[in-house]
Amino acid sequence: MNAPVARALPRGLRINNPGHIRRGPDKWQGMAPPEQQTDPAFVTFVSIVYGLRAIARILVRYQDHHGLHTIRQLIGRYAPPNENSTDAYIAFVSKRTGFHPDQPLDLHTYEHMKPLVVAIVTKEVGHGHGITEAQFDKGLVLMGVEPPAKPLAQTATVKAAQATAAGTLTLGGAIEVERQVGEASTALSPAIDTLQRF
């Protein structure tokens, strides 16, 4: 990416921190090394996936350690009135997710966590954030929040086997299967290697 394009990105995307997580004593998984922590207020992550994981990590902590289960409670802490228009933020997240502000959520489930993280990112860095569904999912997997399993017939492995049996697997199709398998492996290895970190 060339420098003019990078400068045009919202701040949270430039530092791979689309949730605008503030700097502090926490040593986050995927945190960039000290020499790259050049933003005066917010943490810089090595990739957007780790920035997404950090949002999910904060939300799970709010739920598990502070007993916060609704959008009103969660956003009230995530975006406090001394820094944000909290009521407007709650209304935005509620509308975006389709969850009532006082509806209890279980943030260990993909069905509740993913829409909440997407809404927070959209509120923080804008609608044109460009973060892909696969990146959101990788961030959640790193936090232990798994997307629902695809039916076996829709998996890349079964599709490849079917295409090979039919003699229709093209080079492009083989490359795509290899990419999907690689992405799954990449998403899981950092979680296994760094479970002891925040």
Side-chain angles (χ1 to χ4, degrees), residues 9-31:
L9 287 173
R11 179 183 188 179
L13 297 180
R14 291 197 306 271
I15 61 174
N16 292 317
N17 183 351
H20 291 129
I21 295 164
R22 293 198 173 275
R23 295 178 70 163
D26 296 321
K27 301 299 181 192
W28 295 94
Q29 283 186 26
M31 192 172 169

Side-chain angles (χ1 to χ4, degrees), residues 8-153:
L9 287 173
R11 179 183 188 179
L13 297 180
R14 291 197 306 271
I15 61 174
N16 292 317
N17 183 351
H20 291 129
I21 295 164
R22 293 198 173 275
R23 295 178 70 163
D26 296 321
K27 301 299 181 192
W28 295 94
Q29 283 186 26
M31 192 172 169
E35 64 273 13
Q36 294 177 21
Q37 297 294 333
T38 55
D39 190 284
F42 301 119
V43 179
T44 298
F45 291 96
V46 296
S47 76
I48 203 74
V49 169
Y50 284 102
L52 296 168
R53 179 215 173 263
I55 298 169
R57 175 71 180 90
I58 287 170
L59 295 173
V60 164
R61 187 167 185 82
Y62 288 174
Q63 174 184 275
D64 292 353
H65 294 274
H66 301 286
L68 308 180
H69 296 277
T70 69
I71 288 173
R72 192 180 310 283
Q73 294 169 338
L74 294 160
I75 298 303
R77 187 175 178 112
Y78 189 90
N82 62 315
E83 298 177 4
N84 299 272
S85 174
T86 305
D87 288 341
Y89 204 129
I90 291 167
F92 177 90
V93 171
S94 178
K95 182 176 181 181
R96 180 85 184 183
T97 61
F99 302 139
H100 188 277
D102 299 311
Q103 173 183 341
L105 304 175
D106 178 359
L107 299 181
H108 291 285
T109 67
Y110 181 85
E111 293 76 16
H112 287 169
M113 179 64 92
K114 185 172 183 182
L116 191 55
V117 172
V118 172
I120 287 171
V121 167
T122 305
K123 178 65 175 169
E124 294 285 341
V125 295
H127 291 277
H129 52 68
I131 300 171
T132 67
E133 294 297 313
Q135 288 171 319
F136 276 110
D137 286 351
K138 280 185 189 178
L140 297 187
V141 166
L142 286 173
M143 209 21 243
V145 180
E146 299 278 345
K150 289 182 180 179
L152 188 59

Side-chain angles (χ1 to χ4, degrees), residues 183-197:
E183 282 184 357
S185 172
T186 301
L188 289 175
S189 346
I192 293 166
D193 293 341
T194 57
L195 280 174
Q196 71 279 11
R197 297 186 69 197

